[in-house]
Amino acid sequence: MGDIQQFLPIILMFVVVYLFMIRPQMQRQKKEKQFAADLKKGDKVITKSGLHARIFEISEKSDAVVLETTAGKLTFDRSSISLELSKKLNAPSEATSKGK
């Protein structure tokens, strides 16, 4: 019984680290991967570097996305598109939803 009590704080520390650091990161990565897989032509997106654009073409082979901006067409990797910023861009504004 004394051996278990010596290792209990270390075991609890690993459980806390898993619950507060590792698990949320895995869930975030899963959401990012699903978001990248669900992208389709015509979606408005924002890249992680802040570029606002519309998806013009998606290459299934190379995992590249061609984005159309006012300046022209640019090719980016799917992973460079930000989930959080793109969701904010495509979410209906509160002012419009309250008016209905």
Side-chain angles (χ1 to χ4, degrees):
M1 190 65 148
D3 291 336
I4 294 174
Q5 288 178 350
Q6 288 177 347
F7 290 110
L8 192 60
I10 295 171
I11 293 170
L12 286 173
M13 191 170 57
F14 280 114
V15 168
V16 168
V17 166
Y18 175 77
L19 289 175
F20 288 107
M21 295 178 72
I22 298 171
R23 189 167 177 257
Q25 181 64 27
M26 289 178 7
Q27 289 176 339
R28 190 172 18 258
Q29 287 175 343
K30 186 177 178 182
K31 286 180 185 178
E32 284 275 349
K33 191 173 184 180
Q34 185 63 39
F35 172 73
D38 291 343
L39 289 174
K40 61 186 180 299
K41 186 176 177 179
D43 285 350
K44 291 181 180 178
V45 293
I46 302 175
T47 64
K48 291 180 180 176
S49 61
L51 178 76
H52 292 245
R54 184 180 306 267
I55 296 179
F56 182 74
E57 179 183 336
I58 299 176
S59 173
E60 298 299 326
K61 290 186 244 175
S62 64
D63 227 15
V65 178
V66 178
L67 300 178
E68 183 179 32
T69 65
T70 55
K73 296 178 182 142
L74 303 167
T75 304
F76 282 89
D77 192 45
R78 280 185 193 226
S79 63
S80 67
I81 297 174
S82 172
L83 168 67
E84 289 86 15
L85 296 174
S86 296
K87 276 190 173 181
K88 288 179 186 177
L89 176 70
N90 291 319
S93 65
E94 291 181 26
T96 358
S97 61
K98 286 181 180 178
K100 288 186 178 182

